[in-house]
Amino acid sequence: MSARAQSRVRPLRDGDRRDWERLWEGYLRFYRATMDAALTGRTFARLRSQSDGFAGLVAVDDDGRPVGLAHLVFHGSTWSASTYCYLEDLYVDPTQRGGGVARSLFDAVYALARERGADRVYWHTQEFNAPARSLYDRVGRLTSFVMYEGP
C-alpha cells in the first residue's frame, strides 16, 4: 500500500507552521487570493488554539509531514439547539491528490463534528472546481441553496 493511501489526520500543531503555510499558500493560489502575513499568522493561531470556534486538521504522510488541511468553524444556528460545522477550507497538496487524502480529511471532519455534537457539516466550492466536486458528490449531498455576498 502506498504512503498516499495511508495518510492519517490529526489536529494542527505548532510545529506544523511551515508545512501548513506551504499548503495554505497553495490553497490561496488556487482561488486566486492573497492574504497578508499578519492575517495568515492570526489564522494559524486561531486554528491551532481552537479559539473562536475554529479547528484545524492536517493529513500527514508516513513521515508526519502535513500534506492536506481542513479548517473548520463551529457555530450556533437559529435552526438548531446544537451547533453546525462549517468546513471553510480543504486543500490537498497536488502531488498527493487521488490517493485518499481528501477522503481521510472528510472522515476526520465528520468524526470531530460528531464528537462536538454538531447537527450538520456544510461547505461550498466554486462551480468550476470539478475534481473536488466529484469527491463532494460522494461524501455529501448537493443542496439547492445559492450563496450571496454583501459588500
Side-chain angles (χ1 to χ4, degrees):
M1 187 179 265
S2 74
R4 286 170 46 170
Q6 296 176 7
S7 67
R8 63 183 174 85
V9 178
R10 61 167 171 74
L12 187 63
R13 297 177 184 161
D14 287 335
D16 295 330
R17 178 70 185 256
R18 179 175 291 148
D19 287 318
W20 175 86
E21 281 188 10
R22 176 184 49 80
L23 294 167
W24 181 238
E25 288 173 13
Y27 179 74
L28 293 173
R29 269 192 310 278
F30 177 81
Y31 280 110
R32 298 175 183 97
T34 58
M35 185 174 294
D36 66 46
L39 185 52
T40 291
R42 182 170 189 246
T43 297
F44 182 84
R46 291 167 84 189
L47 292 165
R48 174 61 190 98
S49 69
Q50 298 192 27
S51 61
D52 301 328
F54 283 65
L57 300 173
V58 289
V60 297
D61 63 15
D62 287 341
D63 295 325
R65 183 174 183 231
V67 295
L69 59 78
H71 299 159
L72 313 174
V73 181
F74 289 88
H75 64 88
S77 169
T78 60
W79 290 63
S80 171
S82 186
T83 60
Y84 286 174
C85 174
Y86 174 47
L87 172 56
E88 188 163 20
D89 309 305
L90 180 83
Y91 182 77
V92 173
D93 184 301
T95 65
Q96 299 293 314
R97 293 181 185 161
V101 175
R103 182 60 194 240
S104 295
L105 283 162
F106 266 102
D107 291 346
V109 166
Y110 287 149
L112 184 57
R114 280 191 304 274
E115 179 183 310
R116 292 196 180 183
D119 285 344
R120 176 182 295 165
V121 174
Y122 69 100
W123 64 95
H124 63 268
T125 192
Q126 290 184 320
E127 190 172 356
F128 70 79
N129 195 357
R133 291 183 67 191
S134 69
L135 172 65
Y136 300 164
D137 288 341
R138 292 190 306 273
V139 299
R141 65 179 170 75
L142 183 63
T143 71
S144 61
F145 281 88
V146 177
M147 188 175 98
Y148 291 85
E149 289 182 333

